[in-house]
Amino acid sequence: MHLFNDSHTKVVTRWQLFRRYREIVRIMLRHGFGYLVVEFGLQRFVPFHKGWLGYSPKERPYSSAEHLRLLFEELGPTFIKMGQILSTRPDLLPPEMAIEFTKLQDTAPPVAWKDIHAVLREHLSRSPETVFTELDSTPEASASIGQVHRGILADGQVVAVKVQRPGVQQQIAVDLEVLRGIARRVAQNPQFAPYEPAAIVEEFAQTITRELDYRQEARNIDRYRRDINPRESIRVPMVFHSLSSRHVLVMEYIKGVRIDDIEQLQKLNVDPKELANRLARLLLGTAFSKGFFHADPHPGNFRITEEGTMVLLDFGMVGYLSPRDRAVLTELTMAMVEADPERMTDRLIDLGLKVKGHNIALLEIEMGRFLNNYFDLPLSQIPMGEVLTNLLELIRSLGMRLPAQMAILTKTILMAEGIGTRLDPDFHLVPVARKFVRRAIIRRFRPDSSESKLRLASLDVLTLAEQAPKEIRHLVGRLRRGEMGVDITVNDKQVIRELRQLGRTIKVSALTLALVIAVALLMLIYHPEGWELWIRWIFSTGLVAALLLLSYLLFSSLRNCSRRGEGKDL
């Protein structure tokens, strides 16, 4: 059995699995029946929308996607979170299902106050009454994993106290085992095997495990507070770490209205158009400049205060972009603007798009058709949401999938544009995104960035020059000892001699490249007084040395080729 967490292990028994499977089957019989009714076009004979089998009455018949959403909601917190995360993966789900899963309501009846009080006592290591002068027993919000209560500390500070529901970790541990078992069976179907269901479940397991640890959310909040632009009117709650733990998170309570409550925003004299642009700058700025972004930007996680300040909430789900990812995204954007399908395909593969070799040519052809749809549009009029949605649909239709972080970033951009258009029907994300792409390009090619890259590249080359002969000797040793499964039909001594010659060639090549880089670095960063007079001699000497080494390499290669030719003639 899998262990749920290294430090707080949750062992799952066979009896727990059996009970959970039985419960899932019972729920699936009802909702699965509804799904099949829709798939076979029998809605008029079984009108669920009229209240049949416990369904809520509604005007229109339930769609198959709605039946699946209701199934996930009834299955509980693990499946609700799974559906919410799948809604961020349009490269895995059909558009109508991804849209429906965004409606998953992570709400649950509140836990009894005595149980919440017991959790607080355990994780505060003292009675809550000694910490809070006031603590509301009625929660401000109640979700499947935790609920939030308003409290007041001894110094008068108003706080929000987020408390994890008792037993939720064990329940999620059981559900993860169930999902792993389902994924193994689904992977046996050739239709779903390319999507790697087991890998998707493991990605989800890591995400929900991090979300269950409120200490990680506290660290996310601290980092986001550091990353936001101080010139923007944006606020992130302050965390009280001394009162927080794995199961309890105490943070500053900030009152405000939802970002999509247009009527209340007008009463606060907040300009919705400015708010839409501020939100876009926030989400794109943290992603492309810092590589760290809020990955669940639905309207409920943004509040606007009376002063017009934007407040961010719920940092359980965040995204990360490495410097390399950000650089490749910049190149991908440039390839898209230049309508270059080959380069766009290459950059998508660099980002981790899983493509089988024989599908690369097909992807390039489809990418060319995709780009042709937007070729004549001015950059400011390109509908980014439509472009990204169609791109993800294309990737899904070809049986490919993006790595999790790229898919989450894409969904974050789509959600940001959705909120922006609610605030301002004329809102376009592309002009805002263009500024950040331009900054990323400037940042990547500015002199100090080039200097840093040259320095790192020279270190890599020197390391290669030092290690290559040793690694080749190690390879030769393994060949001689018979430790490699390679069938060599030529004379062993000849192979060893040629490998040694190859090692010497690589070493000289690496030294040549290192010399060129060293000269370039010297010219770039070392400018003492009078350097203009003698730098030409340094450059000339380095160039001559490099040419001599290159001449030696060329001569050695020609000599070896002639020797091999003589050997063949004999």
Side-chain angles (χ1 to χ4, degrees):
M1 291 295 166
H2 281 268
L3 295 180
F4 183 67
N5 190 283
D6 291 338
S7 57
H8 284 64
T9 58
K10 298 291 181 183
V11 180
V12 178
T13 66
R14 293 185 183 277
W15 172 244
Q16 288 174 320
L17 278 177
F18 172 75
R19 286 194 305 176
R20 185 56 172 157
Y21 271 118
R22 187 174 62 183
E23 183 181 9
I24 289 172
V25 169
R26 177 182 61 79
I27 296 171
M28 288 186 70
L29 282 175
R30 187 160 70 94
H31 292 290
F33 175 62
Y35 178 85
L36 291 175
V37 165
V38 175
E39 289 297 301
F40 287 105
L42 303 174
Q43 301 98 311
R44 66 180 184 275
F45 301 112
V46 191
F48 293 101
H49 63 292
K50 293 185 178 180
W52 283 39
L53 296 180
Y55 279 81
S56 300
K58 55 178 293 191
E59 291 184 7
R60 295 183 178 181
Y62 285 91
S63 66
S64 55
E66 284 178 310
H67 279 291
L68 285 177
R69 173 178 61 80
L70 293 170
L71 169 66
F72 274 53
E73 284 182 350
E74 193 168 340
L75 286 173
T78 310
F79 290 86
I80 289 173
K81 288 294 179 185
M82 182 76 167
Q84 289 174 336
I85 291 174
L86 283 175
S87 73
T88 69
R89 301 299 303 269
D91 57 321
L92 299 178
L93 295 179
E96 66 277 4
M97 200 171 293
I99 292 171
E100 188 62 34
F101 277 10
T102 61
K103 303 174 186 176
L104 277 167
Q105 297 299 309
D106 189 8
T107 57
V111 177
W113 172 245
K114 62 181 181 63
D115 296 326
I116 293 295
H117 190 276
V119 174
L120 287 170
R121 175 183 284 276
E122 178 185 354
H123 292 282
L124 291 173
S125 301
R126 53 193 146 159
S127 172
E129 286 74 17
T130 64
V131 177
F132 306 100
T133 59
E134 183 181 321
L135 187 59
D136 293 345
S137 58
T138 302
E140 296 263 322
S142 178
S144 56
I145 289 180
Q147 56 192 56
V148 179
H149 295 259
R150 180 180 177 278
I152 301 177
L153 298 177
D155 61 0
Q157 173 70 56
V158 183
V159 293
V161 185
K162 188 174 180 180
V163 186
Q164 197 168 108
R165 300 170 77 96
V168 71
Q169 290 206 11
Q170 184 65 43
Q171 182 183 350
I172 289 176
V174 174
D175 285 345
L176 287 177
E177 285 302 323
V178 170
L179 287 170
R180 288 180 176 113
I182 294 173
R184 285 192 293 270
R185 289 169 177 79
V186 170
Q188 295 172 4
N189 187 326
Q191 181 181 354
F192 300 108
Y195 293 103
E196 302 180 31
I200 293 172
V201 170
E202 290 307 319
E203 285 177 5
F204 167 66
Q206 293 176 12
T207 299
I208 198 168
T209 301
R210 285 194 297 267
E211 195 166 344
L212 283 169
D213 187 350
Y214 288 169
R215 297 173 303 179
Q216 180 61 51
E217 182 173 353
R219 289 190 286 270
N220 293 340
I221 292 172
D222 287 344
R223 178 172 175 181
Y224 213 90
R225 280 171 59 88
R226 292 194 302 269
D227 286 350
I228 57 176
N229 189 339
R231 290 175 295 180
E232 296 278 14
S233 185
I234 296 167
R235 192 171 168 190
V236 176
M238 180 176 60
V239 175
F240 296 87
H241 290 277
S242 61
L243 301 176
S244 300
S245 65
R246 178 182 292 274
H247 297 84
V248 176
L249 179 62
V250 181
M251 53 191 162
E252 182 182 9
Y253 182 92
I254 307 175
K255 189 176 181 180
V257 301
R258 281 174 58 114
I259 195 172
D260 59 346
D261 191 338
I262 306 297
E263 184 179 344
Q264 291 297 321
L265 292 177
Q266 290 174 345
K267 290 180 180 179
L268 296 175
N269 292 321
V270 175
D271 182 6
K273 292 186 178 182
E274 189 279 329
L275 202 57
N277 281 280
R278 197 194 318 172
L279 175 65
R281 291 195 302 270
L282 168 68
L283 295 177
L284 294 176
T286 52
F288 286 93
S289 300
K290 305 295 182 179
F292 180 76
F293 58 95
H294 196 298
D296 191 20
H298 66 76
N301 283 336
F302 295 90
R303 295 284 191 272
I304 307 301
T305 67
E306 292 180 354
E307 298 80 18
T309 302
M310 183 187 298
V311 181
L312 275 72
L313 304 174
D314 193 355
F315 288 82
M317 191 185 299
V318 294
Y320 306 89
L321 292 175
S322 68
R324 176 188 173 278
D325 287 339
R326 282 177 271 160
V328 176
L329 276 171
T330 302
E331 294 179 15
L332 176 65
T333 306
M334 293 169 64
M336 188 181 296
V337 171
E338 295 167 6
D340 186 338
E342 290 82 8
R343 193 145 59 95
M344 194 170 171
T345 299
D346 290 342
R347 297 296 80 80
L348 283 171
I349 293 172
D350 289 343
L351 286 172
L353 180 67
K354 297 183 181 298
V355 185
K356 292 183 179 179
H358 63 276
N359 283 340
I360 293 179
L362 175 61
L363 179 60
E364 287 182 354
I365 293 171
E366 293 298 329
M367 203 62 69
R369 293 173 180 167
F370 165 76
L371 291 171
N372 191 54
N373 294 329
Y374 308 99
F375 184 75
D376 294 329
L377 286 178
L379 192 61
S380 60
Q381 295 181 17
I382 292 178
M384 181 173 281
E386 178 186 320
V387 170
L388 292 176
T389 300
N390 291 341
L391 177 60
L392 291 174
E393 175 61 20
L394 170 62
I395 289 171
R396 189 190 68 82
S397 68
L398 295 174
M400 306 169 187
R401 71 183 182 96
L402 283 171
Q405 293 301 320
M406 292 300 110
I408 290 172
L409 173 64
T410 303
K411 187 62 179 180
T412 299
I413 293 173
L414 288 172
M415 293 175 77
E417 186 172 59
I419 298 175
T421 51
R422 275 195 233 177
L423 294 169
D424 175 15
D426 297 325
F427 174 75
H428 285 284
L429 194 60
V430 170
V432 182
R434 182 170 54 184
K435 295 177 183 177
F436 288 101
V437 172
R438 187 185 299 122
R439 290 176 193 170
I441 295 171
I442 294 172
R443 205 165 37 240
R444 186 173 182 191
F445 295 106
R446 66 188 182 192
D448 58 340
S449 177
S450 301
E451 174 189 333
S452 175
K453 290 173 187 173
L454 281 171
R455 189 184 298 112
L456 292 173
S458 63
L459 291 173
D460 288 341
V461 169
L462 291 173
T463 301
L464 175 64
E466 292 173 356
Q467 294 181 355
K470 181 181 69 174
E471 294 297 328
I472 293 174
R473 282 198 301 271
H474 178 65
L475 175 63
V476 171
R478 292 189 65 187
L479 285 170
R480 295 182 69 180
R481 291 192 297 271
E483 295 176 358
M484 294 184 66
V486 180
D487 184 17
I488 300 177
T489 57
V490 295
N491 182 270
D492 284 352
K493 292 183 179 179
Q494 178 183 347
V495 172
I496 293 169
R497 185 167 55 250
E498 291 192 0
L499 284 172
R500 285 175 176 167
Q501 178 61 35
L502 177 63
R504 286 194 291 270
T505 303
I506 290 174
K507 188 172 183 179
V508 174
S509 301
L511 288 172
T512 303
L513 184 57
L515 178 62
V516 172
I517 292 174
V519 171
L521 274 175
L522 184 64
M523 294 178 65
L524 183 65
I525 64 176
Y526 185 58
H527 300 157
E529 186 177 353
W531 70 281
E532 298 90 346
L533 300 176
W534 51 266
I535 192 64
R536 69 184 64 179
W537 299 107
I538 296 269
F539 175 75
S540 301
T541 303
L543 182 62
V544 169
L547 288 173
L548 288 174
L549 288 170
L550 287 172
S551 301
Y552 168 74
L553 287 174
L554 181 61
F555 173 74
S556 298
S557 299
L558 292 173
R559 184 177 61 183
N560 290 335
C561 288
S562 63
R563 284 180 178 175
R564 281 196 291 270
E566 291 172 3
K568 287 180 181 179
D569 293 339
L570 293 175

Coordinates of all heavy atoms in Angstrom, one line a residue, residues 95-138:
P95 N -13.6 20.1 -24.3 CA -13.9 21.5 -23.7 C -15.1 21.5 -22.9 O -15.2 22.2 -21.8 CB -14.1 22.3 -25.0 CG -13.3 21.6 -26.1 CD -13.4 20.1 -25.7
E96 N -16.2 20.9 -23.3 CA -17.5 21.0 -22.5 C -17.3 20.4 -21.1 O -17.9 20.8 -20.2 CB -18.6 20.3 -23.3 CG -18.5 18.8 -23.4 CD -17.7 18.4 -24.6 OE1 -17.1 19.2 -25.3 OE2 -17.6 17.1 -24.9
M97 N -16.5 19.3 -21.0 CA -16.3 18.7 -19.7 C -15.4 19.6 -18.8 O -15.6 19.7 -17.6 CB -15.7 17.3 -19.9 CG -15.9 16.4 -18.7 SD -15.4 14.7 -19.0 CE -16.6 14.2 -20.2
A98 N -14.3 20.1 -19.4 CA -13.4 21.0 -18.7 C -14.2 22.2 -18.1 O -14.0 22.7 -17.0 CB -12.3 21.5 -19.5
I99 N -15.1 22.8 -19.0 CA -15.9 23.9 -18.5 C -16.8 23.5 -17.4 O -17.0 24.3 -16.4 CB -16.7 24.5 -19.7 CG1 -15.7 25.1 -20.7 CG2 -17.7 25.6 -19.3 CD1 -16.4 25.5 -22.0
E100 N -17.5 22.4 -17.5 CA -18.4 21.9 -16.5 C -17.7 21.7 -15.2 O -18.2 22.0 -14.1 CB -19.1 20.7 -16.9 CG -20.3 20.2 -16.1 CD -21.4 21.2 -16.0 OE1 -21.7 21.9 -17.0 OE2 -22.0 21.4 -14.9
F101 N -16.5 21.2 -15.2 CA -15.7 20.9 -14.0 C -15.3 22.1 -13.3 O -15.0 22.1 -12.1 CB -14.5 20.0 -14.3 CG -14.8 18.5 -14.4 CD1 -16.2 18.1 -14.4 CD2 -13.8 17.6 -14.5 CE1 -16.5 16.7 -14.5 CE2 -14.1 16.2 -14.5 CZ -15.5 15.8 -14.6
T102 N -15.3 23.3 -14.0 CA -14.9 24.5 -13.3 C -16.1 24.9 -12.3 O -15.9 25.8 -11.4 CB -14.7 25.7 -14.3 OG1 -15.9 25.9 -15.0 CG2 -13.6 25.4 -15.2
K103 N -17.3 24.3 -12.5 CA -18.4 24.6 -11.6 C -18.4 23.8 -10.4 O -19.4 23.9 -9.6 CB -19.7 24.4 -12.4 CG -19.8 25.3 -13.7 CD -21.1 24.9 -14.4 CE -21.1 25.6 -15.8 NZ -22.3 25.2 -16.6
L104 N -17.5 22.9 -10.2 CA -17.5 22.0 -9.0 C -17.4 22.9 -7.8 O -16.5 23.7 -7.6 CB -16.3 21.1 -9.1 CG -16.4 19.8 -9.9 CD1 -15.1 19.1 -10.1 CD2 -17.4 18.9 -9.2
Q105 N -18.4 22.7 -6.9 CA -18.5 23.5 -5.7 C -17.8 22.8 -4.5 O -18.2 21.7 -4.1 CB -20.0 23.8 -5.4 CG -20.7 24.6 -6.4 CD -20.1 26.0 -6.6 OE1 -19.9 26.7 -5.7 NE2 -19.8 26.3 -7.9
D106 N -16.7 23.4 -4.1 CA -16.0 22.8 -3.0 C -16.6 23.3 -1.7 O -16.0 24.0 -0.9 CB -14.5 23.1 -3.0 CG -13.7 22.3 -2.0 OD1 -14.3 21.4 -1.4 OD2 -12.5 22.7 -1.8
T107 N -17.9 22.9 -1.4 CA -18.6 23.2 -0.2 C -19.0 22.0 0.5 O -19.2 20.9 -0.1 CB -19.8 24.1 -0.5 OG1 -20.7 23.4 -1.4 CG2 -19.4 25.4 -1.2
A108 N -19.2 22.1 1.8 CA -19.6 20.9 2.6 C -20.2 21.4 3.9 O -20.0 22.6 4.3 CB -18.4 20.1 2.9
P109 N -21.1 20.6 4.5 CA -21.7 21.1 5.7 C -20.6 21.3 6.8 O -19.6 20.5 6.8 CB -22.6 19.9 6.1 CG -22.8 19.2 4.8 CD -21.6 19.4 4.0
P110 N -20.7 22.3 7.6 CA -19.6 22.6 8.6 C -19.5 21.4 9.6 O -20.5 20.8 10.0 CB -20.1 23.9 9.3 CG -21.6 24.0 9.0 CD -21.8 23.3 7.7
V111 N -18.3 21.2 10.1 CA -18.0 20.3 11.2 C -18.5 20.9 12.5 O -18.5 22.1 12.7 CB -16.5 20.0 11.2 CG1 -16.1 19.0 12.4 CG2 -16.0 19.4 9.9
A112 N -18.9 20.0 13.4 CA -19.4 20.5 14.7 C -18.3 21.3 15.4 O -17.1 20.9 15.3 CB -19.9 19.3 15.5
W113 N -18.7 22.3 16.1 CA -17.8 23.2 16.8 C -16.9 22.4 17.8 O -15.7 22.7 17.9 CB -18.5 24.3 17.5 CG -17.6 25.2 18.3 CD1 -17.7 25.3 19.7 CD2 -16.5 26.0 17.9 NE1 -16.7 26.2 20.1 CE2 -15.9 26.6 19.0 CE3 -15.9 26.2 16.6 CZ2 -14.8 27.4 18.9 CZ3 -14.8 27.0 16.6 CH2 -14.3 27.6 17.7
K114 N -17.4 21.5 18.5 CA -16.6 20.7 19.5 C -15.5 20.0 18.8 O -14.4 19.9 19.4 CB -17.5 19.8 20.3 CG -18.1 18.6 19.5 CD -19.0 17.7 20.4 CE -19.6 16.6 19.6 NZ -18.6 15.7 19.0
D115 N -15.7 19.5 17.6 CA -14.6 18.8 16.8 C -13.5 19.8 16.4 O -12.3 19.5 16.4 CB -15.2 18.0 15.7 CG -16.1 16.9 16.1 OD1 -15.9 16.3 17.2 OD2 -17.1 16.6 15.4
I116 N -14.0 21.0 15.9 CA -13.0 22.0 15.5 C -12.2 22.5 16.7 O -11.0 22.7 16.6 CB -13.8 23.2 14.8 CG1 -14.4 22.7 13.5 CG2 -12.9 24.4 14.6 CD1 -13.4 22.3 12.4
H117 N -12.9 22.7 17.8 CA -12.3 23.1 19.0 C -11.2 22.1 19.4 O -10.1 22.5 19.9 CB -13.3 23.3 20.1 CG -12.8 23.9 21.4 ND1 -12.1 23.3 22.4 CD2 -12.9 25.3 21.8 CE1 -11.8 24.1 23.3 NE2 -12.2 25.3 23.0
A118 N -11.5 20.8 19.3 CA -10.5 19.8 19.6 C -9.3 19.8 18.7 O -8.1 19.7 19.2 CB -11.1 18.4 19.5
V119 N -9.4 20.1 17.4 CA -8.3 20.2 16.5 C -7.5 21.5 16.9 O -6.2 21.4 16.9 CB -8.8 20.4 15.1 CG1 -7.6 20.7 14.1 CG2 -9.5 19.1 14.6
L120 N -8.1 22.6 17.2 CA -7.4 23.8 17.6 C -6.6 23.5 18.9 O -5.4 23.9 19.0 CB -8.4 24.9 17.8 CG -9.0 25.5 16.6 CD1 -10.1 26.5 16.9 CD2 -7.9 26.3 15.8
R121 N -7.2 22.9 19.9 CA -6.5 22.6 21.2 C -5.3 21.7 20.9 O -4.2 22.0 21.5 CB -7.5 21.9 22.1 CG -6.8 21.5 23.4 CD -7.8 20.7 24.3 NE -8.7 21.6 25.0 CZ -8.4 22.3 26.1 NH1 -7.3 22.2 26.7 NH2 -9.3 23.1 26.6
E122 N -5.4 20.7 20.0 CA -4.3 19.8 19.8 C -3.1 20.5 19.1 O -2.0 20.3 19.5 CB -4.8 18.6 18.9 CG -3.7 17.7 18.5 CD -4.1 16.6 17.6 OE1 -5.4 16.5 17.3 OE2 -3.3 15.8 17.1
H123 N -3.4 21.3 18.1 CA -2.4 21.9 17.3 C -1.9 23.3 17.7 O -0.8 23.7 17.3 CB -2.8 22.0 15.8 CG -3.0 20.6 15.2 ND1 -1.9 19.8 14.8 CD2 -4.1 19.8 15.0 CE1 -2.4 18.7 14.3 NE2 -3.7 18.7 14.4
L124 N -2.6 23.9 18.6 CA -2.1 25.1 19.3 C -1.4 24.7 20.6 O -0.7 25.6 21.2 CB -3.3 26.1 19.6 CG -4.0 26.8 18.5 CD1 -5.2 27.5 19.0 CD2 -3.0 27.7 17.8
S125 N -1.5 23.5 21.0 CA -0.9 22.9 22.2 C -1.4 23.7 23.5 O -0.7 23.8 24.5 CB 0.6 23.0 22.2 OG 1.1 22.3 21.1
R126 N -2.6 24.3 23.4 CA -3.2 25.0 24.5 C -4.7 25.3 24.2 O -5.1 25.0 23.0 CB -2.5 26.3 24.8 CG -2.3 27.2 23.6 CD -1.3 28.3 23.8 NE -0.6 28.6 22.6 CZ 0.0 29.7 22.3 NH1 0.0 30.7 23.2 NH2 0.6 30.0 21.2
S127 N -5.4 25.7 25.2 CA -6.8 26.0 24.9 C -6.9 27.2 24.0 O -6.2 28.2 24.1 CB -7.5 26.3 26.2 OG -8.8 26.8 26.0
P128 N -7.8 27.1 23.0 CA -8.0 28.3 22.1 C -8.4 29.6 22.8 O -8.1 30.7 22.3 CB -9.1 27.8 21.1 CG -9.1 26.3 21.2 CD -8.6 26.0 22.6
E129 N -9.1 29.4 23.9 CA -9.5 30.6 24.7 C -8.3 31.4 25.2 O -8.5 32.6 25.5 CB -10.4 30.2 25.8 CG -11.8 29.8 25.4 CD -11.9 28.4 24.8 OE1 -10.9 27.6 25.0 OE2 -12.9 28.1 24.2
T130 N -7.1 30.8 25.4 CA -6.0 31.5 25.8 C -5.3 32.3 24.7 O -4.4 33.1 24.9 CB -5.0 30.6 26.5 OG1 -4.5 29.6 25.5 CG2 -5.6 29.8 27.6
V131 N -5.6 31.9 23.5 CA -5.0 32.6 22.3 C -5.9 33.7 21.7 O -5.5 34.7 21.3 CB -4.7 31.5 21.2 CG1 -4.1 32.2 20.0 CG2 -3.7 30.5 21.7
F132 N -7.2 33.3 21.7 CA -8.2 34.3 21.0 C -9.1 34.8 22.1 O -9.7 34.1 22.9 CB -9.0 33.5 20.0 CG -8.2 32.8 18.9 CD1 -8.0 31.4 19.0 CD2 -7.7 33.5 17.9 CE1 -7.2 30.8 18.1 CE2 -6.9 32.8 16.9 CZ -6.7 31.5 17.0
T133 N -9.3 36.1 22.1 CA -10.3 36.7 23.0 C -11.7 36.5 22.4 O -12.7 36.6 23.2 CB -10.0 38.2 23.1 OG1 -10.1 38.9 21.8 CG2 -8.6 38.5 23.7
E134 N -11.8 36.3 21.2 CA -13.1 36.0 20.5 C -12.8 35.1 19.3 O -11.9 35.2 18.6 CB -13.7 37.3 20.1 CG -15.1 37.1 19.5 CD -15.6 38.5 19.0 OE1 -15.4 39.5 19.7 OE2 -16.3 38.5 17.9
L135 N -13.7 34.0 19.2 CA -13.6 33.1 18.1 C -15.0 32.6 17.7 O -15.6 31.9 18.5 CB -12.7 31.9 18.5 CG -12.3 30.9 17.4 CD1 -11.6 31.6 16.2 CD2 -11.5 29.8 17.9
D136 N -15.4 33.0 16.6 CA -16.8 32.6 16.1 C -16.9 31.1 16.0 O -16.1 30.5 15.2 CB -17.1 33.3 14.8 CG -17.2 34.8 15.0 OD1 -17.3 35.3 16.2 OD2 -17.2 35.5 14.0
S137 N -17.9 30.5 16.5 CA -18.2 29.1 16.4 C -18.8 28.8 15.0 O -18.7 27.7 14.5 CB -19.0 28.5 17.5 OG -20.3 29.2 17.5
T138 N -19.4 29.8 14.4 CA -20.0 29.6 13.1 C -19.0 30.0 12.0 O -18.5 31.1 12.0 CB -21.3 30.5 12.9 OG1 -22.2 30.2 13.9 CG2 -21.9 30.3 11.6

